[in-house]
Amino acid sequence: MKPFVSDVPASRVVFGAGTLSDLRSEVARLGINRAFFLSTAAQRETIAVARASMADLFAGEFADAAMHTPVAVTDTALAMLRAADADGLVSIGGGSAIGLGKALALRTGLPHLAVPTTYAGSEMTPILGQTEEGVKTTMRDPVVQPASVLYDVELTLTLPAQMSGVSGLNAIAHAVEALYASDADPIILLMAEEGIRALAGSLPLIAKDAQNGEARSDALYGAWLCATCLGRTTVALHHKLCHVLGGTFDLPHAETHAAVLPHAWAYNAPAVPEAAAKLRRALATDRPAQSLFDMTASFGAPTALRDLGMPKDGIDRAVELIFKNPYANPRPLEPDAIRALLEDVWAGRRPNA
């Protein structure tokens, strides 16, 4: 057994079907008397249901959360939060809403309860990515990790099949990088492999029947495991690529992760044989990169950055930013190889690995 350090941050998780009914008690458990709700417009109906169950604890809402947590949006939400005299935050939605909650928690120190409705995983991490003037920066700080997370399987039933697929692949990407993270401990490696297995098994079932409750439960369970891995390990090339591409070209978050993942894995696979064996086992395939690529395509989701709105002449800019502040990576980053990788994912070429 290799030496390791296992640092487990305190976090409360409530998981099940219909757990939104526990929201009032979970909010009260955090000592929140005036809760400020955060979401995108798509979750206004869910907020209305939540508000009805705890009207006396409802301070206000902000339903304009945006991808990549723009600083300007956080500024606007902060002004409304202060005007509402709120003493706690409740975010309902995917990475946009939860990211905004984390940004506000950083600025105010208020307790934050997250209710995820996708598989993105931001709720289980101390990581905050923020965008300003076309540049996305990330940071780690325990204060931004939500104090409690309420997973309600029923809230994922309305997530469209294609969005379920790319959101699930986004979650898988967290665990894939955890498989070769230098600071992964044995428990994280088990969680990463199990999380990938759970999502890889459930996502095809969701593609056939979005109302499959058992598959939805397995997928949300897998997403929780993958998100926990992201929160407790350092990220590498895949996440660097996605942070640069998303922040610079305003590409959709989950779709970008899904498109990049097969290519980032193919780049690193030769340098991480133990992780490769685990991924082959979790995906039940000898060609993980192709399997991940085909999974994205099976949902009808774009596999090419050009179809997500990235201009081809942006490749040089992306390479420049990747090397401006590179993340640690098991395989050395080579400019020509990274450019070739970006050209492949821009064009949507199927990897050979």
Side-chain angles (χ1 to χ4, degrees):
M1 177 64 66
K2 298 178 181 178
F4 66 87
V5 173
S6 182
D7 186 4
V8 184
S11 184
R12 177 176 170 83
V13 170
V14 178
F15 185 101
T19 54
L20 188 63
S21 62
D22 296 329
L23 181 61
R24 179 187 178 87
S25 61
E26 290 299 314
V27 166
R29 187 177 182 278
L30 292 176
I32 297 173
N33 296 304
R34 293 184 56 77
F36 192 79
F37 283 69
L38 307 165
S39 73
T40 60
Q43 294 298 333
R44 284 184 186 274
E45 186 174 329
T46 305
I47 285 185
V49 171
R51 179 175 184 171
S53 70
M54 47 180 290
D56 57 321
L57 301 181
F58 190 91
E61 68 178 90
F62 180 84
D64 292 316
M67 287 191 308
H68 309 301
T69 319
V71 171
V73 173
T74 303
D75 290 340
T76 301
L78 179 62
M80 293 179 63
L81 169 67
R82 287 173 171 163
D85 193 28
D87 63 357
L89 303 160
V90 176
S91 58
I92 300 179
S96 297
I98 294 170
L100 176 58
K102 293 163 85 168
L104 291 171
L106 178 67
R107 296 201 192 188
T108 65
L110 293 179
H112 177 200
L113 185 151
V115 184
T117 60
T118 73
Y119 308 130
S122 177
E123 67 279 355
M124 291 303 297
T125 81
I127 303 169
L128 172 63
Q130 302 182 94
T131 305
E132 188 171 22
E133 296 181 357
V135 177
K136 186 170 185 177
T137 58
T138 60
M139 58 164 288
R140 280 180 179 259
D141 190 323
V143 75
V144 308
Q145 184 162 340
S148 294
V149 180
L150 195 156
Y151 287 105
D152 188 340
V153 175
E154 292 181 358
L155 295 182
T156 65
L157 293 174
T158 57
L159 191 65
Q162 184 182 107
M163 190 62 226
S164 297
V166 294
S167 183
L169 283 155
N170 179 16
I172 287 174
H174 305 331
V176 166
E177 288 217 314
L179 286 175
Y180 53 71
S182 60
D183 51 357
D185 62 52
I187 297 300
I188 284 296
L189 294 177
L190 290 171
M191 294 176 74
E193 187 172 340
E194 171 67 0
I196 294 168
R197 184 207 60 76
L199 280 160
S202 57
L203 291 177
L205 298 177
I206 292 170
K208 295 176 182 178
D209 178 11
Q211 297 298 305
N212 186 325
E214 185 175 350
R216 286 291 190 180
S217 183
D218 287 348
L220 195 58
Y221 159 72
W224 165 61
L225 292 174
C226 293
T228 302
C229 293
L230 175 64
R232 287 172 51 186
T233 59
T234 52
V235 295
L237 174 63
H238 170 86
H239 282 82
K240 180 62 177 183
L241 288 169
C242 293
H243 291 162
V244 166
L245 294 169
T248 305
F249 305 106
D250 197 30
L251 305 185
H253 182 84
E255 289 87 342
T256 301
H257 276 268
V260 168
L261 177 58
H263 302 271
W265 168 255
Y267 184 92
N268 277 330
V272 288
E274 292 183 9
K278 289 180 172 63
L279 185 59
R280 288 194 297 268
R281 188 164 58 231
L283 294 176
T285 179
D286 289 332
R287 292 185 173 273
Q290 290 185 356
S291 177
L292 293 166
F293 182 93
D294 293 345
M295 197 182 302
T296 300
S298 73
F299 279 92
T303 56
L305 292 177
R306 65 184 176 190
D307 296 331
L308 295 177
M310 179 182 171
K312 188 172 186 180
D313 60 9
I315 291 176
D316 287 339
R317 173 62 173 158
V319 173
E320 176 188 347
L321 290 173
I322 288 164
F323 282 89
K324 186 174 182 180
N325 182 27
Y327 293 1
N329 195 64
R331 176 183 167 185
L333 301 188
E334 303 164 1
D336 290 344
I338 295 301
R339 181 174 283 103
L341 183 161
L342 286 171
E343 288 174 351
D344 284 344
V345 69
W346 182 86
R349 299 187 185 102
R350 189 170 184 255
N352 291 323

